[in-house]
Amino acid sequence: MPARHRNIVPGFPHLLHGGDWNPDQWLDRPEVIEQDHQLMSEAGVNALSVGIFAWAALEPEEGRYEFAWLDAILDRLAKDGRKAILATPSGSKPAWMSLKYPEVRRMHNGVREPHHTRHNHCYTAPVYRAKVAAINRALAERYARHPALGAWHLSNEYGGDCQCPLCWDAFRAWLQRRHGSLAELNRAWYTAFWGHTFSAWAEVNALDRTMHAMTLDWRRFVSDQTADFIRAEAAPLRRLTPQIPLTTNFMGTYPGLDYHRLAQELDFISWDAYPDWHPAGGDDLDTAAHTGFNHDLMRGCGGGKPWVLMESTPSSVNWKKLSRPKQPGMHRAASLQAVGHGSEGVLYFQWRKGRGCSEKFHGAVVDHDGRSDHRVFREVAALGATLGRLGAAVGAPVVAQAAVLYDWDVAWAIDEGQMQRNCDKDYIATAMDHHRPLWRRGIAVDVVSQRADLARYRLVVAPMALLLHPGVAERLESFVRAGGVLVATYLTGQVDHNDQCFLGGFPGPLRALFGVRAPEMDTPPDHVVQTLAPTAAGTALGLSGSYPTRHFDELLVAEDAEVLATYAHEWYAGTPAVTRRTVGAGEAWYIGARGDRRLADDVVGGIAARLGLERALDLPLPEGVAAQARGTGADRLVFVENFAGAPRTLALGPGWRDAESGAPLAELALARYDARVLARA
Ligand code: GAL
């Protein structure tokens, strides 16, 4: 990990502040655009994503480009010292194109979509790729040397699939490359089941969700085909503007695409975060913990490099059943949390509310009245000033000694796998529950895939790793032998990359490493009481009391492992549930049951304490306070947010100052939703 990463926007050493701006909706109202420029200065805005849905304004007729309006916008941004994150407009195609070239529209169940909404182009159709390449080339040629051009924003939130004949042809070609022969495909897909053996490639022509390997391959193909589309979109930009980095906006754990695959096509990761602050019946701490996980996952997609919060709302959204405004302070706390997790700035959807259509009531920095004396505008402007004072954060790395594994293939295999329990499988929530013990202690965590290099970590937690890619078991074993601590849970190592069960007992190729076998599993309904009782060995390692379990109880056979807890109820009372095996210089823990949050906290938090993993602050954080560190040594900045809903105080001791004001700080008094950045005195 370098001491400092390169600036995301070359030659622009500032945290980014701004957001999606759609001047193309206001071309007949120049006074509104002028007002926007002025308000941007008031709000401390330095980066705008422009042109995301502007294809119809840029190419109103096939081949006739209208760039004058965008010239004026970019010229003015440059004059005011701001950067454009210039979008390619493929997320929404013009109506003339849908009519003239029907194959640009997606198809499902043999029916082509009408021209409507957005994000629904066919990513295979050669004509769409050609049209996208042409407009992207025109944009790159025109603005290659424009001083406002800071980065490329490819399309918008790629997602979904298309099942038109062109996509099916592409899928079959992809399968031929992947499996080589039909005989291999039949083997990989286990088609002998229900007599589904294929005798010609043309027979592979409909998705069958009972063939788990087929649906898995289809989802992989959709990710690969989207990545291929991205590569085609990017080609003219890479050729004409090699100095300009490109990204697209991800959506956290969005299930439709393997972001680890897409990330390979991008220069930096950005994502759109819309956490459920002030949730009905929940608390902000849960939301903050979940958001921290998502930030870490997105940073992990980029190999740990800084990333950008490309969209967030300054107040509320308009697409949830209920969306309350962020309460005073929450905007600052949520935004600094993102920067603490590695974001190089804070951008919004949206700069200004549009007048019509489906997002006219979505939160924005500038409301329909165009005023800057609103609470929301003032909080945004105050944050702009704060970000302006935090130049030291730019490029500062997040250094993590712990990792949580999260894989889209695992998510898909769990989701599709018809198993003993087909409700409450909750892979994402389980991954978050095992990330939280570290997050709440201020310990940096990378959320990475099974394929990531694990050598840099001291603790790896692999929740519900149902599917194991080839070579992963061996790599986990080397990690442990070299001194790492590995924690796995129920459902580990049941299927291979073709979604076929491992023979010889679960957890498959990890059986020897954990020294356990899981020949049976109970999946009790909610009214059944089951608890775990720690053994003497478990108590010595910090387990205590009794832990309720739910949903998944594996009945372990400890072949070569210490038993740390056993079941206390049902016919399998006394059966091992949590085990540990010391292997080489490391340890392999197996948690066979879905315990409560306290169990994850005692196991993962206990290990972290024993290993002495580095914390953002060397003191216990009060409940509800989160802390993240960026940078190393004397350059280290610590971001502290209070999500408790009540004031909190931290006794920092000597050696700290407020990074914004420079004032020394021995005690940090945080009001509700307060957030501060600390630097070494
Ligand atoms: C995002 C999208 C934006 C806007 C926003 C509303 O998912 O990229 O264009 O629709 O949601 O919250």
Side-chain angles (χ1 to χ4, degrees):
M1 191 66 67
R4 196 166 280 278
H5 293 279
R6 298 208 331 236
N7 296 337
I8 283 201
V9 174
F12 198 70
H14 310 286
L15 292 176
L16 305 178
H17 187 226
D20 284 23
W21 181 35
N22 303 305
D24 42 303
Q25 293 176 16
W26 301 94
L27 295 179
D28 58 344
R29 299 292 297 269
E31 74 285 5
V32 172
I33 295 178
E34 178 54 34
Q35 187 187 50
D36 279 336
H37 289 298
Q38 290 173 17
L39 289 171
M40 283 171 197
S41 296
E42 259 187 74
V45 156
N46 62 11
L48 285 309
S49 309
V50 279
I52 299 179
F53 301 111
W55 201 337
L58 291 168
E59 192 180 357
E61 285 172 43
E62 187 168 14
R64 181 169 69 77
Y65 295 124
E66 294 260 0
F67 287 123
W69 67 269
L70 189 53
D71 293 350
I73 292 292
L74 295 192
D75 290 353
R76 178 62 183 273
L77 289 181
K79 180 163 163 278
D80 293 345
R82 295 189 244 282
K83 289 289 175 188
I85 305 176
L86 186 55
T88 64
S90 66
S92 184
K93 52 202 171 318
W96 57 258
M97 193 186 294
S98 294
L99 195 64
K100 182 163 178 193
Y101 305 105
E103 64 270 39
V104 305
R105 292 185 262 127
R106 278 186 190 170
M107 201 176 210
H108 288 102
N109 302 319
V111 178
R112 217 172 264 293
E113 289 188 21
H115 178 82
H116 66 170
T117 73
R118 59 173 181 174
H119 300 166
N120 52 4
H121 57 266
C122 169
Y123 38 63
T124 302
V127 66
Y128 197 62
R129 289 181 173 220
K131 292 289 173 201
V132 170
I135 190 143
N136 290 4
R137 186 167 59 242
L139 284 166
E141 276 167 355
R142 193 164 187 97
Y143 301 117
R145 305 272 154 236
H146 199 289
L149 181 61
W152 289 108
H153 183 297
L154 287 176
S155 201
N156 194 65
E157 295 187 341
Y158 293 103
D161 71 353
C162 173
Q163 296 183 25
C164 72
L166 292 168
C167 287
W168 271 101
D169 282 346
F171 182 42
R172 282 184 290 266
W174 183 93
L175 291 171
Q176 286 175 16
R177 287 195 301 278
R178 180 175 174 86
H179 296 288
S181 67
L182 205 52
E184 273 310 313
L185 175 124
N186 277 317
R187 240 190 305 278
W189 285 8
Y190 202 69
T191 53
F193 177 76
W194 286 352
H196 281 173
T197 307
F198 295 108
S199 56
W201 285 102
E203 294 163 12
V204 183
N205 59 16
L207 284 185
D208 180 346
R209 292 190 67 182
T210 67
M211 296 175 71
H212 296 164
M214 180 192 216
T215 28
L216 206 52
D217 268 356
W218 172 259
R219 289 170 183 251
R220 289 170 177 152
F221 160 74
V222 170
S223 295
D224 268 356
Q225 194 71 347
T226 304
D228 190 62
F229 181 85
I230 292 178
R231 211 173 316 126
E233 270 231 42
L237 314 179
R238 293 219 179 272
R239 186 164 50 79
L240 294 161
T241 60
Q243 75 285 9
I244 303 295
L246 53 84
T247 189
T248 189
N249 43 348
F250 282 174
M251 297 175 274
T253 52
Y254 169 69
L257 290 169
D258 178 351
Y259 282 153
H260 290 128
R261 170 70 193 85
L262 264 59
Q264 294 165 15
E265 309 300 331
L266 308 172
D267 296 325
F268 67 95
I269 300 299
S270 66
W271 87 283
D272 303 342
Y274 293 97
D276 208 4
W277 297 119
H278 322 307
D283 67 37
D284 285 314
L285 190 53
D286 282 342
T287 305
H290 297 166
T291 307
F293 173 90
N294 281 322
H295 289 331
D296 290 343
L297 172 65
M298 296 290 93
R299 192 182 65 252
C301 284
K305 287 192 297 185
W307 51 276
V308 171
L309 179 65
M310 189 61 91
E311 291 181 24
S312 60
T313 179
S315 52
S316 54
V317 297
N318 71 332
W319 43 264
K320 292 182 186 170
K321 192 167 168 209
L322 197 72
S323 173
R324 303 178 72 193
K326 284 172 169 168
Q327 293 179 24
M330 182 51 93
H331 182 59
R332 177 179 161 91
S335 299
L336 290 181
Q337 183 195 13
V339 180
H341 280 266
S343 178
E344 294 284 272
V346 177
L347 290 97
Y348 310 116
F349 182 89
Q350 49 192 341
W351 165 254
R352 177 188 279 272
K353 283 185 187 173
R355 287 194 74 182
C357 298
S358 76
E359 293 184 327
K360 62 181 182 293
F361 295 127
H362 191 291
V365 181
V366 182
D367 215 315
H368 295 123
D369 60 9
R371 299 173 65 109
S372 59
D373 56 358
H374 283 298
R375 179 186 73 89
V376 169
F377 189 98
R378 282 202 305 266
E379 290 198 31
V380 164
L383 183 76
T386 288
L387 296 178
R389 290 189 282 265
L390 293 177
V394 178
V398 174
V399 184
Q401 298 178 317
V404 169
L405 303 190
Y406 181 88
D407 274 88
W408 271 266
D409 285 88
V410 173
W412 296 334
I414 290 174
D415 187 34
E416 296 290 338
Q418 295 153 287
M419 48 177 81
Q420 260 172 276
R421 167 173 282 279
N422 292 307
C423 57
D424 306 312
K425 290 193 255 184
D426 296 338
Y427 174 54
I428 297 172
T430 305
M432 287 176 169
D433 283 349
H434 288 82
H435 169 271
R436 188 176 180 133
L438 300 165
W439 178 83
R440 66 181 282 265
R441 287 171 172 77
I443 296 170
V445 193
D446 287 345
V447 179
V448 294
S449 95
Q450 289 180 356
R451 294 175 167 108
D453 175 13
L454 303 178
R456 71 175 87 148
Y457 304 114
R458 299 182 60 208
L459 167 63
V460 169
V461 188
M464 295 175 78
L466 183 85
L467 177 150
L468 294 176
H469 289 286
V472 169
E474 293 77 359
R475 289 179 40 250
L476 288 174
E477 171 147 7
S478 320
F479 165 76
V480 173
R481 285 198 180 281
V485 177
L486 172 67
V487 179
T489 73
Y490 49 91
L491 293 191
T492 293
Q494 302 204 347
V495 300
D496 67 11
H497 62 296
N498 288 319
D499 220 344
Q500 291 192 27
C501 292
F502 289 113
L503 302 180
F506 300 153
L510 289 170
R511 222 180 98 185
L513 178 61
F514 290 107
V516 295
R517 223 159 24 94
E520 271 198 276
M521 175 170 75
D522 190 12
T523 50
D526 288 346
H527 69 269
V528 170
V529 172
Q530 181 56 280
T531 57
L532 301 184
T535 61
T539 307
L541 284 163
L543 302 187
S544 66
S546 105
Y547 300 94
T549 74
R550 7 172 240 148
H551 302 160
F552 294 100
D553 291 326
E554 282 183 355
L555 281 53
L556 302 183
V557 177
E559 294 180 319
D560 179 17
E562 290 169 85
V563 177
L564 305 184
T566 56
Y567 293 102
H569 302 278
E570 294 291 309
W571 51 272
Y572 47 91
T575 302
V578 180
T579 62
R580 177 180 82 145
R581 179 165 178 255
T582 43
V583 187
E587 301 169 20
W589 290 60
Y590 195 91
I591 308 175
R594 176 171 285 170
D596 59 354
R597 203 174 265 168
R598 193 173 69 86
L599 179 68
D601 201 72
D602 285 353
V603 171
V604 177
I607 294 169
R610 219 162 21 92
L611 294 176
L613 298 188
E614 199 174 338
R615 292 177 292 166
L617 288 171
D618 217 359
L619 46 98
L621 295 172
E623 182 68 10
V625 172
Q628 310 86 31
R630 285 189 69 173
T632 49
D635 290 341
R636 202 152 171 269
L637 293 177
V638 178
F639 294 72
V640 187
E641 308 93 28
N642 178 11
F643 295 110
R648 292 284 188 259
T649 304
L650 280 84
L652 296 173
W656 293 102
R657 65 183 164 85
D658 184 304
E660 283 191 72
S661 68
L665 272 178
E667 190 182 82
L668 184 60
L670 294 166
R672 183 173 192 246
Y673 304 139
D674 205 353
R676 300 285 268 282
V677 185
L678 314 179
R680 282 290 176 197

